[in-house]
Structures are given as structure tokens and as C-alpha cells.
Amino acid sequence: MTLKVDEDNLKNGILTLVVTLVEVIQEALENQAVRRLEGGDLTDEEQERLGNALLELDMAMEQIKKDHGITGSVADLRRGLDEVVDEVVDKLINPERWARERGKAIR
């Protein structure tokens, strides 16, 4: 049995995954930058450099998505990841409710 792989779909899938993961990391970096700004940990020069670096990263990511036609794919994957994270966080915050719902499903 021969396995047929569509190289274009494979490349787009991998690129979509990589870009999505970079966006998740980028969001974490931006959140950390905001905390540092609000905490007064950065000089004016550091704030300027950080802002410019984050802006350049954002523009580069948007260009990559546009160039490879994966904007929609990245958005879809990101929504899926966000839903999974939201569910996990909700389970951590509301364990009793999840236990009750799991108990109902088992009956």
C-alpha cells in the first residue's frame, strides 16, 4: 500500500501550525511587555525598542500569512486552541461543576 501525500497541503498545514505557535508566543511576549511597562521596569529607550520589535514581528507575521494564503487557516487553528485553553482553565476554576457534569454523563 502506497501512502500518497499532498505536499502543498502538508506544507501549508505545517506552516499554519508554526505561524499559530509563533502568534501564541508573540501574545505571551506582548502580555509580559505590558506588565513590565506597567511596572515601570523599562527605560524610555527600552520601551521604544520593545514596541518597535513587537510591531515588526506583527507585521512580519501578517506578511507571511498573506504571502502563503494561510490567514484563515491560522485564525481557525487559533480559535480551536483558544477554545481548548478556555475549557481547561474553566475546569481548573470550576472543578465541582465539571465533576457534576461528568457524573451526569456517566449515568
Side-chain angles (χ1 to χ4, degrees):
M1 181 170 132
T2 304
L3 178 62
K4 294 183 181 182
V5 176
D6 182 344
E7 282 189 41
D8 288 336
N9 282 343
L10 182 61
K11 288 177 186 176
N12 280 341
I14 291 171
L15 184 59
T16 296
L17 177 60
V18 169
V19 168
T20 302
L21 292 175
V22 170
E23 283 189 350
V24 169
I25 294 167
Q26 178 182 359
E27 185 177 313
L29 290 171
E30 289 170 353
N31 289 337
Q32 184 63 30
V34 168
R35 280 190 215 101
R36 290 190 70 191
L37 286 169
E38 290 173 349
D41 296 339
L42 301 174
T43 66
D44 289 343
E45 182 182 323
E46 289 171 329
Q47 290 178 29
E48 182 75 21
R49 281 197 331 255
L50 181 58
N52 286 335
L54 291 172
L55 182 59
E56 287 178 23
L57 177 58
D58 189 55
M59 291 185 332
M61 295 303 294
E62 291 303 317
Q63 191 63 48
I64 289 169
K65 290 188 293 187
K66 181 181 173 189
D67 289 349
H68 295 279
I70 60 170
T71 301
S73 302
V74 170
D76 290 343
L77 180 55
R78 188 66 191 269
R79 268 191 300 279
L81 289 174
D82 287 347
E83 289 172 8
V84 168
V85 169
D86 288 346
E87 185 175 323
V88 169
V89 169
D90 190 49
K91 285 181 180 181
L92 291 171
I93 293 172
N94 301 304
E96 299 84 16
R97 182 174 59 99
W98 283 92
R100 283 192 311 271
E101 288 181 11
R102 188 175 61 224
K104 289 178 186 176
I106 293 174
R107 292 181 193 170

